[in-house]
Amino acid sequence: MIQWKNIKLILMRELRDQMRDRRTLFMVAVLPLLLYPAMGIGMVQMTVLFSEQPRTVVLLGADELPKQPQLLDGDQFVSNWFTIPSDADKLRVITDSQPENTDSESTDTETNSEREEILKQAHQLELELKQHQSLLDEWDKLKGKEDSSEAELLLHEITETKERLSKQFAESKIQVLIIIPKGLSKELEQVSAKLALHEPIDFDPAVSSRPLILRNRADEKSKLAFIRVQEAMDAWEKAILRARLNRARLPVSLPTPINPEVIDLAQDDQLAANLWSKLFPALLIIMAATGAFYPAIDLGAGEKERGTMETLLISPAKRTEIVLGKFLTVLVFSVSTALLNLASMGFTGKHMVNVAGTGALSRMGDLSFPSFSALFWIVVLLIPLAALFSALCLSLATFARSSKEGQYYLTPLLMVTIGLTVFCLSPAVEINPFYSLMPVVGVALLLKGMLLSTVNAGILYVYAIPVLITSIGYSLLALWWAIDQFQREDVLFREAERFEVGLWLKHLMRTKDSLPSFAEAGFCFVIIMLLQFAVMNTMRDAIQMATTAERPTRMMQLLMIQQLAIIATPALMMGIMLTTSMRKTFRLYLPRFSFWIVATILAFALHPLSQELVSSLRWFFPALPKGTVAVLQDMSDPNQSIWLILLAFALAPAVCEELAFRGFILSGFGRRGRAWLAIILSSLTFGAMHMIPQQVFNATLVGLALGMIAVHSRSLFPGIAFHFIYNALSIYRGRVPEKWVPEHGLQYFVSMGPEGLRYSWPLLLICAVLAIALLRWVTLQSRTAPGEQTESLTLSAFDRRLTDSTN
Amino acid sequence: MIHVEGLSKSFDDLRRGSIVALDSVSFDVQAGEIFGLLGPNGAGKTTCLRMLSTVLQPTGGTAIVAGYNVATHPQDVRGQIGFMSCNTGIYDRMTAWEMVEYFGRLYGIEEQELQERLDRIFTTLQMQDIRDMLGSKMSTGMKQKVSIARTIIHDPPVLIFDEPTTGLDVLVARAVLKTIEALREEGKCIIFSTHIMREVEKLCDRVAVIYKGKILAIGSIPELEEQYHESDMEELFFSLIQQHEDQLAMKAQ
């Protein structure tokens, strides 16, 4: 029995200990309280001091501009052309027209000489541009003879001039260069006059004389300047058009015949909610992780480092009590760090908006706080989230030998958390049933949704239940891991030994056993996943390269190669290198005959059940990727040879996947003697290998049955038979012709739906009864089996712990 | 009080592979007796004592401490022993009083009794002046005193000291040994490990010489001297080790 008195004692001690630690206090309390106000002050200062450098725009041919409406005003654009008139100050316009007021010339000789220089650069650019354009014109004339050597030469010249042009432009002090063609104003006037008289316009003015604008999109300054130039020119152009229409006594709205009206219903609090919904979940998650980080290191690795771990271990407190006490301490700090940060940021933000008044910040809307119910949900969701981080941090920190090592282990955790948070920040990502089951992501998206929509939050509360349940589940798992870490002497008493790869490999080879270790099984899975990830692109390219006719064949070939190279080979190689008995590791024993029969019938019984289960959960999963749909279609394509399909989709996976997952990985996970844990872990890895959510779900369930068969029959072969039949049934189901109508009593068991063959309730019921009975039979077998000396995976070994076993 | 039979422990080591740290060790310790484990560094003393204190799990054999098996009833064993070693540090951010009080509470001592006992122990160990000093501010000697106070706060019948004098100056080491001697007078069962001959000669009623995980000789000092015809403890020790090394060399051939 766990004594709460001890947990409370440990919790209170650790809390007091942490409160006396200046570093922790600083991180948890002082930093958030000071950081945000300091950042706020900094931001206000920055906005006050910040002023944008004016950018240089050169306009050649200013004399050709129409006098009315005016584009330029001195060395600026006319401020009316900007939505924010002060933007005109941010562009300095240099023209080639003679400055009218010569009185300032004497005072600004320096500016004048700079002006001259810039103008010179502009003229050079103009020349270069003209040459480039004449070359382009020539190219257009060459139409039809693109292959001649002449064309090649021209093309070469064109690229050369373009390069030269871009280099010159980059070296010049000009951000945007505008070249007004000769006779622009005259032509504008001409068109307007003709339009006013309703005379036909017999040329296209847009072709004859277009101004040219030179910019460099890759250069940030040029890009900004161009956006402003474009804004001014657009407004100016519209003004010219308006004047022209006026003169012709046509309605001004003529160029916009539809012109819909947009009504924005956003209210201030919604704008505020928008901001909070982005900031709060992200901050909450990152701070909950950070808040757990430092206390966990101090309580785990720090305790080892300071030599007080053993003192605590010899006290009568149980390991579980110690871990719970420490876990609760970390949890308290994680929660309070997150909440303090939120509160500090919220108040600072609100205060800053009040201070800044009409500045740029006021456009975010009034930063009123989220509603009370949203705040309540923040706290409710924060606790399981913080619990997950606390337990994870604590187990990693316990595993570490020193504080420094602890930081190495915990930094990746923090990085992953930040990655997930950034993913959730994207406006396109919304909570759905699938995301609601993912750790961290579920909480982040639910909070985002709740803070965002004050109106239709109703649907979101439906998600609150799965998010809460899974979050609590994940944190319990992490806590269980932390307790497990604390029970292991090799973790608690790890000496700082020098690590050398060579030495370690030698150790692996020397200490190898008939079965792989837990870590080796996990590593095998990681290798399979990495290999799969590595060849993913290559596979896709190879499939896309093939012609449509040979694509299915190519795909099946690749699939078989993938099964052999990526799944079977790593497992077999690791088996050869790391174990002494291939036979034991891969369970290459002949099973009793009854197992063959049971595995076969079980495959027939489980296939309809899992098929219907996945179909009924269709709403839950994201849609299948296009590639997978294509594969499924090929599989059911009646023109393909059934033998090839069976080979690629049934036999190869049956052999290869069984070797890896029921062979090496299951043996490794089962080494510690907990059969159920091994079966569950191997089926989880088996599921994860399938990548696509539907298949992950399906494979995990089937993996449980396969694991049970493998463990209790002590053989790999019934599993291979099961796997083959199961996959073959899926193939045959897909090949049932669409127009087939079940009859002769079959209609009670199956029906044809739009997605193919469906199994009806009577059949499912029979299958369920059969499956349960058979699985029950399987689990009972090892108890009646003759006392064979297997050193792992016997049920009696289940749940055996070394320490605290009697408590 | 302590009954050890065939106790073994092996570890996995990166450099040397699976190593046997303790190889089938057996001995008994009675109440009111100080039993010494004498051996060089790495002989297996700490491993043996850690198993007796249930921090490590034996890989073979049994150990019964104060009537409880360490493998099956670790909780009960921990309540009956006081354990102190150079690895059982004290908390930096706790005062001496808080530290001992905390462990007293973990042992489940009644609050009033705990305060009385704390006061008594702090007086006998002359620690009243460092009561409110933080662990980080203490000297090694003060820390050792706090450790001893922590070890005896729950008045355990069995006390285990793993090289308690390591790193102490002569004065403090002497005080520690005096305390241990006084505890024997109270009828405690004490097991004490060291690599210093003089401490064994002065303190121990019986001694076991341990080397490379094996007990080479066991008995009271006069018994050993008689058995091996060697009056000097140090000479006895070296000759035993030499003898064992010769045997190992013989076997290797």
Side-chain angles (χ1 to χ4, degrees):
Chain A
M1 271 303 290
I2 293 171
Q3 289 194 13
W4 289 103
K5 186 185 70 99
N6 281 351
I7 297 176
K8 196 179 146 206
L9 258 174
I10 293 168
L11 168 67
M12 294 320 281
R13 194 212 80 81
E14 299 289 4
L15 280 179
R16 188 169 53 185
D17 205 58
Q18 290 301 311
M19 296 302 264
R20 283 179 185 173
D21 185 9
R22 255 172 287 159
R23 287 171 306 172
T24 317
L25 266 191
F26 179 77
M27 279 303 298
V28 175
V30 182
L31 196 63
L33 291 182
L34 290 182
L35 183 69
Y36 297 100
M39 265 165 58
I41 293 167
M43 262 173 74
V44 170
Q45 290 277 325
M46 292 276 279
T47 40
V48 169
L49 293 176
F50 179 75
S51 64
E52 215 178 307
Q53 286 283 319
R55 305 282 169 225
T56 310
V57 176
V58 176
L59 193 139
L60 294 180
D63 297 334
E64 303 295 331
L65 287 172
K67 295 282 168 286
Q68 254 338 303
Q70 210 180 355
L71 177 64
L72 298 177
D73 178 16
D75 61 350
Q76 282 183 357
F77 285 103
V78 174
S79 58
N80 285 350
W81 304 136
F82 295 96
T83 18
I84 303 167
S86 62
D87 275 359
D89 300 338
K90 288 165 188 166
L91 293 175
R92 181 174 66 138
V93 184
I94 295 174
T95 62
D96 55 352
S97 67
Q98 293 306 314
E100 285 147 32
N101 43 348
T102 42
D103 50 309
S104 65
E105 208 174 331
S106 51
T107 52
D108 278 351
T109 42
E110 203 177 316
T111 350
N112 247 332
S113 69
E114 195 199 348
R115 198 185 104 104
E116 293 298 320
E117 195 196 325
I118 291 176
L119 270 179
K120 216 171 95 191
Q121 286 170 344
H123 282 299
Q124 261 168 11
L125 275 168
E126 192 187 11
L127 281 176
E128 198 72 49
L129 189 67
K130 273 190 181 143
Q131 200 192 342
H132 183 62
Q133 279 197 313
S134 68
L135 285 172
L136 282 177
D137 287 345
E138 254 179 79
W139 174 256
D140 285 341
K141 279 180 213 151
L142 272 176
K143 228 172 210 169
K145 299 185 275 182
E146 271 98 345
D147 297 331
S148 64
S149 61
E150 197 186 340
E152 210 167 285
L153 204 73
L154 193 61
L155 199 64
H156 181 70
E157 246 176 298
I158 288 172
T159 37
E160 216 169 52
T161 46
K162 188 171 181 201
E163 261 170 39
R164 216 162 40 227
L165 198 59
S166 125
K167 191 165 163 247
Q168 266 186 29
F169 187 70
E171 280 169 357
S172 72
K173 291 179 181 167
I174 306 166
Q175 267 82 47
V176 174
L177 175 63
I178 307 169
I179 300 170
I180 304 294
K182 276 218 163 62
L184 177 71
S185 70
K186 211 188 279 173
E187 215 177 81
L188 281 172
E189 173 55 35
Q190 219 177 340
V191 174
S192 296
K194 281 194 174 188
L195 191 69
L197 298 171
H198 296 268
E199 276 177 28
I201 300 159
D202 45 4
F203 63 97
D204 188 354
V207 174
S208 63
S209 56
R210 284 174 73 191
L212 285 171
I213 301 181
L214 232 66
R215 59 143 175 175
N216 179 3
R217 199 154 46 119
D219 176 27
E220 201 67 23
K221 290 185 204 163
S222 171
K223 198 168 142 187
L224 265 176
F226 175 72
I227 290 170
R228 295 223 162 90
V229 168
Q230 205 175 24
E231 188 191 353
M233 298 271 285
D234 279 354
W236 174 63
E237 196 176 7
K238 275 186 192 141
I240 292 177
L241 184 63
R242 267 201 305 276
R244 190 180 269 176
L245 290 169
N246 255 333
R247 215 168 121 188
R249 282 177 312 247
L250 289 169
V252 178
S253 65
L254 195 63
T256 50
I258 306 289
N259 199 18
E261 200 175 342
V262 179
I263 300 167
D264 187 6
L265 291 178
Q267 283 165 355
D268 279 354
D269 63 329
Q270 281 173 327
L271 284 171
N274 198 356
L275 180 73
W276 291 138
S277 78
K278 290 202 175 84
L279 281 179
F280 267 27
L283 195 76
L284 198 71
I285 288 166
I286 292 171
M287 281 306 149
T290 320
F293 192 99
Y294 293 95
I297 291 177
D298 199 56
L299 264 61
E303 187 124 25
K304 273 194 208 176
E305 204 170 44
R306 289 189 299 269
T308 47
M309 185 62 100
E310 213 175 324
T311 320
L312 194 58
L313 289 180
I314 50 150
S315 78
K318 282 192 222 52
R319 304 274 164 100
T320 316
E321 292 165 1
I322 296 176
V323 178
L324 283 176
K326 284 178 179 291
F327 161 75
L328 289 175
T329 316
V330 180
L331 181 64
V332 166
F333 279 97
S334 172
V335 169
S336 42
T337 308
L339 289 180
L340 267 174
N341 271 285
L342 279 199
S344 176
M345 191 189 73
F347 281 111
T348 311
K350 200 168 162 55
H351 183 67
M352 253 180 64
V353 171
N354 293 343
V355 170
T358 54
L361 284 167
S362 66
R363 263 186 280 159
M364 292 177 190
D366 175 29
L367 284 181
S368 55
F369 283 120
S371 66
F372 177 76
S373 76
L375 287 175
F376 169 77
W377 278 104
I378 286 180
V379 177
V380 168
L381 288 167
L382 173 63
I383 289 170
L385 183 77
L388 172 66
F389 286 131
S390 305
L392 274 181
C393 285
L394 190 60
S395 23
L396 284 172
T398 311
F399 185 73
R401 277 175 284 227
S402 62
S403 306
K404 203 172 128 197
E405 211 182 295
Q407 289 190 352
Y408 289 156
Y409 293 150
L410 286 181
T411 309
L413 180 74
L414 210 58
M415 301 307 274
V416 171
T417 310
I418 291 173
L420 287 177
T421 318
V422 170
F423 168 74
C424 297
L425 277 182
S426 156
V429 181
E430 275 182 80
I431 192 156
N432 62 21
F434 183 65
Y435 284 143
S436 72
L437 300 187
M438 280 173 67
V440 183
V441 173
V443 174
L445 289 178
L446 184 61
L447 272 183
K448 184 171 123 179
M450 280 176 171
L451 290 168
L452 191 60
S453 55
T454 40
V455 193
N456 53 356
I459 315 157
L460 287 168
Y461 292 112
V462 178
Y463 286 119
I465 297 160
V467 168
L468 269 177
I469 290 176
T470 46
S471 303
I472 291 170
Y474 288 126
S475 43
L476 283 179
L477 260 180
L479 189 61
W480 174 72
W481 186 38
I483 293 172
D484 192 62
Q485 290 285 308
F486 240 80
Q487 312 251 15
R488 293 176 52 183
E489 3 189 284
D490 55 336
V491 169
L492 290 177
F493 295 97
R494 289 203 313 154
E495 308 287 335
E497 54 188 19
R498 204 153 43 115
F499 184 80
E500 281 171 31
V501 177
L503 210 61
W504 177 69
L505 282 176
K506 235 190 258 170
H507 173 77
L508 268 185
M509 299 301 232
R510 185 176 46 209
T511 54
K512 70 182 181 181
D513 202 3
S514 57
L515 291 176
S517 72
F518 192 90
E520 284 161 1
F523 190 61
C524 179
F525 169 63
V526 172
I527 284 188
I528 290 176
M529 290 302 276
L530 285 179
L531 281 174
Q532 228 178 9
F533 185 66
V535 299
M536 214 190 270
N537 277 336
T538 332
M539 291 265 296
R540 201 179 44 208
D541 290 350
I543 290 174
Q544 275 168 359
M545 293 275 280
T547 58
T548 331
E550 62 184 26
R551 191 168 292 167
T553 327
R554 172 72 57 88
M555 195 167 54
M556 280 183 266
Q557 286 165 345
L558 284 170
L559 211 67
M560 276 186 277
I561 295 170
Q562 184 209 15
Q563 288 281 341
L564 280 173
I566 292 173
I567 296 171
T569 312
L572 285 173
M573 288 298 285
M574 287 181 83
I576 293 169
M577 281 167 60
L578 301 173
T579 66
T580 53
S581 166
M582 290 286 278
R583 194 161 185 205
K584 243 180 178 171
T585 303
F586 292 101
R587 301 170 207 275
L588 304 176
Y589 298 98
L590 273 182
R592 282 188 289 149
F593 185 67
S594 45
F595 272 108
W596 288 103
I597 298 170
V598 167
T600 309
I601 303 174
L602 205 53
F604 278 102
L606 283 180
H607 165 72
L609 286 174
S610 75
Q611 200 73 50
E612 286 303 314
L613 186 60
V614 170
S615 294
S616 65
L617 288 174
R618 193 179 294 270
W619 55 272
F620 174 78
F621 294 109
L624 281 175
K626 266 187 203 148
T628 320
V629 175
V631 172
L632 289 176
Q633 270 167 4
D634 285 336
M635 212 167 85
S636 51
D637 183 359
N639 298 325
Q640 291 295 322
S641 150
I642 183 73
W643 298 113
L644 193 61
I645 292 178
L646 279 180
L647 195 64
F649 289 99
L651 189 64
V655 175
C656 298
E657 290 176 0
E658 288 310 300
L659 275 175
F661 288 93
R662 252 61 61 184
F664 194 85
I665 291 177
L666 182 62
S667 296
F669 284 153
R671 171 96 168 268
R672 276 210 215 157
R674 277 180 281 187
W676 280 106
L677 184 70
I679 292 173
I680 289 168
L681 280 178
S682 77
S683 68
L684 282 177
T685 52
F686 180 58
M689 195 259 319
H690 284 78
M691 307 265 207
I692 300 158
Q694 281 93 330
Q695 293 192 7
V696 169
F697 177 74
N698 209 338
T700 308
L701 288 182
V702 175
L704 285 175
L706 279 166
M708 278 155 80
I709 296 173
V711 166
H712 295 285
S713 71
R714 299 198 175 86
S715 166
L716 196 69
F717 301 118
I720 294 180
F722 175 101
H723 201 146
F724 175 77
I725 294 166
Y726 184 89
N727 282 14
L729 283 174
S730 299
I731 297 168
Y732 278 110
R733 175 183 169 273
R735 286 171 79 95
V736 173
E738 268 174 58
K739 300 200 174 63
W740 182 71
V741 179
E743 47 196 341
H744 306 306
L746 268 180
Q747 65 269 29
Y748 297 112
F749 298 110
V750 292
S751 61
M752 283 306 289
E755 314 98 20
L757 192 69
R758 296 295 297 258
Y759 303 98
S760 315
W761 279 110
L763 182 69
L764 293 178
L765 205 66
I766 296 169
C767 287
V769 171
L770 202 60
I772 290 168
L774 289 175
L775 285 175
R776 176 90 188 124
W777 181 85
V778 166
T779 50
L780 287 174
Q781 285 318 294
S782 55
R783 278 178 213 165
T784 53
E788 192 186 328
Q789 280 298 315
T790 42
E791 54 203 88
S792 72
L793 295 182
T794 46
L795 275 182
S796 59
F798 169 55
D799 205 39
R800 186 180 49 186
R801 296 303 301 149
L802 289 172
T803 325
D804 289 343
S805 55
T806 52
N807 303 294
Chain B
M1 285 303 259
I2 301 178
H3 173 70
V4 175
E5 205 172 307
L7 200 64
S8 302
K9 178 79 188 174
S10 46
F11 296 104
D12 263 354
D13 184 87
L14 204 57
R15 194 170 290 274
R16 292 166 291 174
S18 179
I19 51 161
V20 180
L22 205 64
D23 189 1
S24 207
V25 163
S26 306
F27 57 84
D28 282 275
V29 189
Q30 308 306 322
E33 160 178 76
I34 299 182
F35 182 76
L37 272 182
L38 180 65
N41 291 333
K45 301 185 299 275
T46 301
T47 307
C48 177
L49 297 185
R50 274 182 177 168
M51 281 193 285
L52 289 184
S53 62
T54 78
V55 173
L56 290 184
Q57 278 286 307
T59 46
T62 49
I64 311 289
V65 176
Y68 299 104
N69 189 324
V70 291
T72 55
H73 295 80
Q75 226 65 51
D76 300 303
V77 170
R78 285 207 284 270
Q80 298 293 321
I81 58 166
F83 179 78
M84 182 186 139
S85 82
C86 39
N87 292 314
T88 49
I90 64 168
Y91 287 108
D92 280 349
R93 296 188 288 262
M94 263 180 136
T95 66
W97 187 271
E98 283 168 352
M99 166 92 190
V100 184
E101 191 182 42
Y102 169 58
F103 277 91
R105 283 182 185 150
L106 278 179
Y107 281 107
I109 305 169
E110 292 290 316
E111 200 56 29
Q112 199 189 344
E113 194 192 344
L114 177 66
Q115 295 301 329
E116 283 168 17
R117 208 181 281 173
L118 269 169
D119 210 52
R120 202 164 59 237
I121 289 174
F122 270 65
T123 314
T124 27
L125 291 176
Q126 297 168 333
M127 289 165 60
Q128 292 290 6
D129 48 338
I130 59 163
R131 249 178 99 123
D132 297 321
M133 193 185 264
L134 282 179
S136 52
K137 302 263 159 61
M138 288 182 205
S139 69
T140 320
M142 294 175 187
K143 282 183 183 171
Q144 209 70 356
K145 273 187 182 172
V146 178
S147 273
I148 292 175
R150 196 256 311 145
T151 311
I152 57 176
I153 181 69
H154 55 302
D155 197 24
V158 175
L159 286 160
I160 301 171
F161 294 98
D162 184 17
E163 306 202 353
T165 55
T166 308
L168 299 183
D169 65 39
V170 191
L171 283 176
V172 184
R174 190 182 156 81
V176 169
L177 295 180
K178 284 273 172 240
T179 317
I180 293 175
E181 230 172 345
L183 286 167
R184 167 172 58 190
E185 302 312 313
E186 289 178 28
K188 307 281 185 203
C189 164
I190 298 171
I191 181 164
F192 171 88
S193 87
T194 183
H195 59 268
I196 304 164
M197 311 292 154
R198 296 210 1 87
E199 290 183 354
V200 173
E201 285 173 337
K202 268 178 66 179
L203 209 63
C204 297
D205 301 304
R206 285 193 311 128
V207 62
V209 177
I210 185 167
Y211 182 64
K212 289 197 172 170
K214 278 188 161 43
I215 289 188
L216 302 184
I218 192 164
S220 67
I221 292 171
E223 274 170 20
L224 287 178
E225 282 172 355
E226 196 178 328
Q227 194 181 343
Y228 294 95
H229 311 293
E230 181 63 70
S231 57
D232 187 76
M233 197 58 204
E234 204 160 331
E235 288 301 319
L236 177 73
F237 181 69
F238 286 124
S239 72
L240 275 169
I241 286 175
Q242 192 58 47
Q243 210 179 319
H244 185 71
E245 283 293 327
D246 291 345
Q247 272 175 11
L248 285 181
M250 289 265 285
K251 258 188 209 164
Q253 282 170 7

